[in-house]
Amino acid sequence: MSQQTPEQTPQPTERRGGAVWALVITSVAGFMAALDNLVVTTALPSIREDFGGALDDLEWTVSAYTLTFAVLLMFGAALGDRFGRRRLFLVGITVFTGASAAAAMAPGIDSLIAARAVQGVGAAIMMPLTLTLLTAAVPAAKRGMAYGIWGAVNGLAVASGPLIGGSLTEHLSWQWIFWLNVPLGLALLPLARLRLTESFGSGAPLDIRGTLLASGGLFGIVYGLVRAPVVGWSDGVVLLALFAGTALLTGFVFHGMRAENPMLPMRLFRSRAFAGINAASLLMFLGMFGSIFLLSQYMQGVLGYSPTEAGLRMLPWTGMPMLVAPLAGYLSDRVGGRPVVAAGLFLQAVGLGWFAAVVEADTSYAAQLPALIISGIGMSLFFAPASSLVMSSVRAQEQGIASGANNALREVGGALGIAVMASIFSAQGGYESAQTFVDGIRPALWVGSAAVALAGVGALYIPRRRPATGPATGPATGPAAGAQEVTEAAVPVPVPVPVPETASR
């Protein structure tokens, strides 16, 4: 399944409304998709109070979105290349907006989870097409500024997700975190139809078999991890889900090795740099997403913060990339991406470990603040150089596939992190009292810290690459973004804007 880099993207002969409209439309669409990664986290206690959901139900309100988003992201980009990027972009917005309304009107936890899964489908279609459409509409000389604005808007969505979710939950209701998307989506539909120009990609065959194998495999493993704490690890359904998921993912790997046009060519993983940075990304998001899932509930359920207060107190962590990302890009240019990524991962691991060490039923915010700041700096140092390492580890014509694969693995890491850390939480503690919650979250945070530290160790083994010495322009397609390095041959490659997705997300 091929994705084109911006240099390969056909330039339209007519731009309806010009670059400004394209920038506004794609930035708002990206904001919606990025916001829904984390906007739900501060609303989890309120959702649990209204619907009475157990821990596994709360997990699925987050994981149903990240999982469908991850699995279908590359497939959505290929659909746009084949059937028209503007056309599929409109389809994605329609699905996302309709699913948001369904989530807001959900009568119970099961229907909410289903709506969140459909939301992920819509996001997977529209998100990877935002940069492609923006590239087609903006003249090459102005793309750097356009990508900067696009990236800043998406970064703002990630940083403000917990705060927006907390404020809407506290002052209106948790349903408004989903209603917020509806007027935005309805406004985007006619604008995108009238102001964006249609374009097509290479028209490579769709990898339906690979998509089904990856979807079924990941769902089976996540379902088994989420369900096991409820019914026991020896339960027949849990064992079947884990076994079937593993078998399907194994089939996906063999398919990627042998198919002519696979969604994810396994030959890319022959590159030690590509394999290493993607493994690090998966572990990073595993530790980070799982921790945020539990800490947002800890701040409200144990420490008694309101949803808004919890969102504000998370800002030193989630909002730090807005301040530190430029420094990360500068350092990456000066010393290379590998040491910056490794330093970021180790700082993130220290931050989570700090939290695990100080978490108590009455921990003051002053004791939490160093952990939040350290985690925020670590996350900031990771994002841009990590995307740079991904892009510089493959050939120019494969950068679109590499970008999509890295972002898909990040989302998969987030879903797995919530499942793994919530399983540890439920095995060691629970919601019965403040102390039982602390008993559960402490070992979960230590595991999250260990996962991120392991990613840092792995990053040290990524082959060293010489940092770029000259300017480069243009982004790599796909939803990822980050500053670029060049290979030893010093060939300029595109420079996407750093966007911390998820944290989604």
Side-chain angles (χ1 to χ4, degrees):
M1 181 174 299
S2 63
Q3 296 181 27
Q4 292 184 329
T5 61
E7 290 80 7
Q8 298 169 308
T9 302
Q11 297 299 311
T13 56
E14 177 186 2
R15 290 187 173 91
R16 303 179 187 178
V20 173
W21 276 114
L23 178 59
V24 170
I25 293 166
T26 57
S27 294
V28 173
F31 181 90
M32 292 163 61
L35 182 71
D36 271 60
N37 261 320
L38 285 182
V39 73
V40 126
T41 54
T42 43
L44 290 174
S46 297
I47 294 173
R48 181 170 178 265
E49 183 178 343
D50 280 2
F51 288 155
L55 178 64
D56 57 318
D57 296 318
L58 295 180
E59 291 177 63
W60 280 114
T61 61
V62 181
S63 295
Y65 180 82
T66 58
L67 200 56
T68 52
F69 191 4
V71 169
L72 299 176
L73 189 148
M74 297 180 71
F75 190 69
L79 285 173
D81 284 351
R82 186 176 180 86
F83 297 110
R85 291 161 178 156
R86 185 187 64 182
R87 180 182 302 166
L88 265 293
F89 183 68
L90 291 170
V91 170
I93 294 174
T94 302
V95 172
F96 186 87
T97 303
S100 297
M105 295 185 293
I109 193 71
D110 292 336
S111 53
L112 174 60
I113 291 169
R116 286 283 286 166
V118 178
Q119 259 194 318
V121 174
I125 296 172
M126 74 176 182
M127 185 65 173
L129 298 176
T130 56
L131 271 181
T132 318
L133 290 165
L134 183 61
T135 299
V138 177
K142 297 181 179 179
R143 285 177 189 165
M145 180 178 65
Y147 300 144
I149 296 172
W150 181 92
V153 171
N154 281 263
L156 179 64
V158 172
S160 60
L163 178 58
I164 291 176
S167 298
L168 291 174
T169 299
E170 181 177 352
H171 300 294
L172 294 171
S173 70
W174 64 261
Q175 285 86 352
W176 278 94
I177 65 178
F178 301 115
W179 282 125
L180 177 66
N181 294 321
V182 175
L184 293 175
L186 292 177
L188 284 181
L189 283 171
L191 287 175
R193 176 68 181 84
L194 296 172
R195 301 295 182 178
L196 296 178
T197 303
E198 185 63 278
S199 64
F200 296 82
S202 61
L206 298 175
D207 186 12
I208 297 176
R209 179 181 299 177
T211 301
L212 292 175
L213 287 170
S215 304
L218 289 170
F219 176 79
I221 289 176
V222 173
Y223 178 84
L225 290 172
V226 170
R227 189 66 181 161
V230 180
V231 297
W233 289 93
S234 61
D235 180 77
V237 175
V238 169
L239 294 175
L240 177 62
L242 294 173
F243 176 80
T246 302
L248 289 171
L249 285 183
T250 302
F252 175 72
V253 171
F254 280 104
H255 173 76
M257 295 169 61
R258 299 175 179 176
E260 185 175 351
N261 291 289
M263 178 173 68
L264 179 57
M266 291 299 146
R267 57 181 166 75
L268 295 179
F269 290 93
R270 296 173 187 168
S271 164
R272 190 153 57 95
F274 183 81
I277 191 58
N278 277 288
S281 296
L282 187 146
L283 289 170
M284 165 68 172
F285 273 67
L286 187 153
M288 185 181 64
F289 257 66
S291 299
I292 291 177
F293 173 78
L294 292 173
L295 285 170
S296 62
Q297 298 179 71
Y298 165 75
M299 287 186 171
Q300 295 178 65
V302 176
L303 300 182
Y305 298 144
S306 70
T308 303
E309 290 171 339
L312 283 170
R313 282 164 171 76
M314 295 286 281
L315 278 179
W317 185 359
T318 59
M320 192 64 71
M322 301 293 289
L323 302 176
V324 182
L327 174 62
Y330 172 78
L331 290 174
S332 179
D333 288 340
R334 298 287 293 179
V335 303
R338 184 183 70 166
V340 181
V341 163
L345 290 167
F346 286 128
L347 284 173
Q348 177 71 85
V350 169
L352 294 179
W354 188 306
F355 246 123
V358 303
V359 65
E360 297 289 350
D362 57 352
T363 303
S364 68
Y365 186 63
Q368 303 169 45
L369 189 58
L372 292 165
I373 294 174
I374 293 170
S375 294
I377 294 173
M379 185 169 67
S380 305
L381 293 177
F382 171 82
F383 280 121
S387 294
S388 168
L389 289 172
V390 170
M391 296 302 172
S392 63
S393 66
V394 298
R395 296 191 296 259
Q397 63 268 31
E398 295 174 329
Q399 287 175 348
I401 297 175
S403 171
N406 181 251
N407 280 273
L409 286 170
R410 290 182 181 191
E411 297 290 336
V412 168
L416 289 175
I418 292 171
V420 169
M421 294 178 67
S423 295
I424 297 168
F425 168 83
S426 61
Q428 301 294 321
Y431 290 106
E432 291 79 12
S433 67
Q435 188 56 51
T436 56
F437 195 100
V438 169
D439 291 340
I441 194 175
R442 186 182 291 117
L445 290 174
W446 280 121
V447 169
S449 175
V452 179
L454 180 62
V457 172
L460 294 175
Y461 290 91
I462 295 173
R464 183 184 299 275
R465 293 182 182 273
R466 185 163 60 87
T469 56
T473 58
T477 54
Q484 285 283 25
E485 289 180 327
V486 296
T487 61
E488 302 297 343
V491 180
V493 291
V495 182
V497 179
V499 177
E501 282 215 49
T502 84
S504 211
R505 120 155 241 249

